[in-house]
Amino acid sequence: MTQPIVAAQTVKTPVGELGLEASESGLVHVVFGAVHGESNAVTRQAAAEIEQYFAGERRDFTVPLDRSGDGFREQAQAALSDIAYGSTETYSELAARIGNPRAVRAVGSACATNPLPIVVPCHRVLRSDGSLGGYAGGLEMKRELIELERKHTGGG
């Protein structure tokens, strides 16, 4: 179970402001837009890592996460971090990889409700036809994140 939010910090990025909310033990939310509050060690680490990510200096996040829930949604969200930087996977490939190939819509729902976008990279998941699908930050942001990663991996 997620601990109470005790810290909040906003970080400016090339895709807009991101709000970081944390408990004492880890990052709880990344929101699109500013948040207000006092920072803590977790939000400061998350802000630094996000800045490094956008500078092309970081591919994996090490900030501790404070996740809630269990079951399929948590399993799907946890599997997102296994999609390599600069790569994409389809909703159906992700469903198959976590052992439930018929759960494509449930994977889509898990991506749509990901409380930690960018840090837990749901932007790397596409529709089977290669189109972007949806993204809480908007399709233009999803496109920019994919292009940023491809640029820093030599993929275009």
Side-chain angles (χ1 to χ4, degrees):
M1 178 172 253
T2 303
Q3 301 299 312
I5 302 292
V6 298
Q9 180 175 341
T10 299
V11 61
K12 292 183 182 194
T13 76
V15 296
E17 291 181 327
L18 298 176
L20 310 173
E21 297 177 326
S23 66
E24 289 292 341
S25 60
L27 191 63
V28 177
H29 298 116
V30 175
V31 298
F32 300 108
V35 294
H36 303 284
E38 296 294 320
S39 66
N40 70 0
V42 173
T43 63
R44 288 189 294 275
Q45 179 181 350
E49 290 185 9
I50 286 171
E51 289 170 352
Q52 293 164 355
Y53 167 83
F54 280 103
E57 301 165 357
R58 174 172 293 279
R59 295 181 178 204
D60 298 302
F61 291 88
T62 60
V63 63
L65 306 178
D66 186 353
R67 297 182 190 216
S68 65
D70 56 337
F72 183 83
R73 183 171 300 213
E74 179 64 22
Q75 182 184 14
Q77 289 173 351
L80 293 169
S81 295
D82 295 331
I83 303 171
Y85 179 95
S87 299
T88 58
E89 193 168 280
T90 66
Y91 294 101
S92 58
E93 289 169 334
L94 183 59
R97 186 163 54 84
I98 59 176
N100 199 340
R102 296 178 60 175
V104 177
R105 288 181 189 248
V107 165
S109 176
C111 289
T113 59
N114 175 14
L116 297 161
I118 300 175
V119 174
V120 176
C122 54
H123 62 274
R124 296 179 187 156
V125 184
L126 306 175
R127 289 184 176 162
S128 294
D129 66 2
S131 64
L132 294 177
Y135 191 64
L139 293 183
E140 184 57 32
M141 183 183 293
K142 184 172 184 172
R143 182 178 295 105
E144 288 179 33
L145 293 169
I146 291 169
E147 289 174 6
L148 170 84
E149 292 183 9
R150 288 187 175 154
K151 174 181 144 188
H152 290 292
T153 58

